[in-house]
Amino acid sequence: GHSNSNSNNNNNSTNNSNNHSANRVYVGNLRYETSWQQVKDHMRRAGNVDRAELLTHAASHPKLAGKSKGCAIVTYQNPREAQRAVQELHDSVLDGRPLLVRPDRED
């Protein structure tokens, strides 16, 4: 079994982006006024949130530039927490809006 040492190395170098997206969820139906901090606090119920990032309009829309699109990407510290968020926080209410929470898959 020389192959053992190899298989160990592979674990570390496995496509990071793939592992990473398993930690992420997409959150939709946010109010435009809701801040990323509110999203982060809310999503913490499912686990440790690494970061919450509101999706904002590009500068190509001068009137809307930098304004929230009403959705966010939340990154958890592990995939289990992200899964829990999808199960437990989908349809949970933040700022009077039932949230859409689904896995963030980059297909």
Side-chain angles (χ1 to χ4, degrees):
H2 285 267
S3 56
N4 283 354
S5 56
N6 286 347
S7 57
N8 288 348
N9 296 346
N10 289 349
N11 290 348
N12 301 340
S13 56
T14 315
N15 248 344
N16 275 340
S17 56
N18 286 354
N19 293 346
H20 202 60
S21 68
N23 297 1
R24 281 202 308 245
V25 297
Y26 168 92
V27 182
N29 201 36
L30 296 167
R31 293 169 62 100
Y32 298 124
E33 299 79 20
T34 303
S35 69
W36 68 266
Q37 189 67 60
Q38 286 171 282
V39 174
K40 187 172 184 175
D41 288 345
H42 184 79
M43 301 304 287
R44 261 204 202 115
R45 297 186 201 175
N48 293 311
V49 174
D50 257 358
R51 58 184 299 197
E53 193 180 357
L54 287 178
L55 300 183
T56 54
H57 288 280
S60 53
H61 300 78
K63 285 186 179 153
L64 296 171
K67 288 217 169 92
S68 169
K69 288 183 176 180
C71 48
I73 300 293
V74 175
T75 307
Y76 285 95
Q77 286 176 2
N78 66 59
R80 221 173 300 122
E81 294 169 333
Q83 247 170 356
R84 192 182 303 145
V86 172
Q87 288 162 1
E88 297 182 7
L89 297 179
H90 180 67
D91 270 347
S92 64
V93 177
L94 173 60
D95 240 357
R97 300 283 280 276
L99 300 185
L100 164 74
V101 181
R102 60 178 173 78
D104 177 48
R105 294 270 175 263
E106 290 173 1
D107 296 323

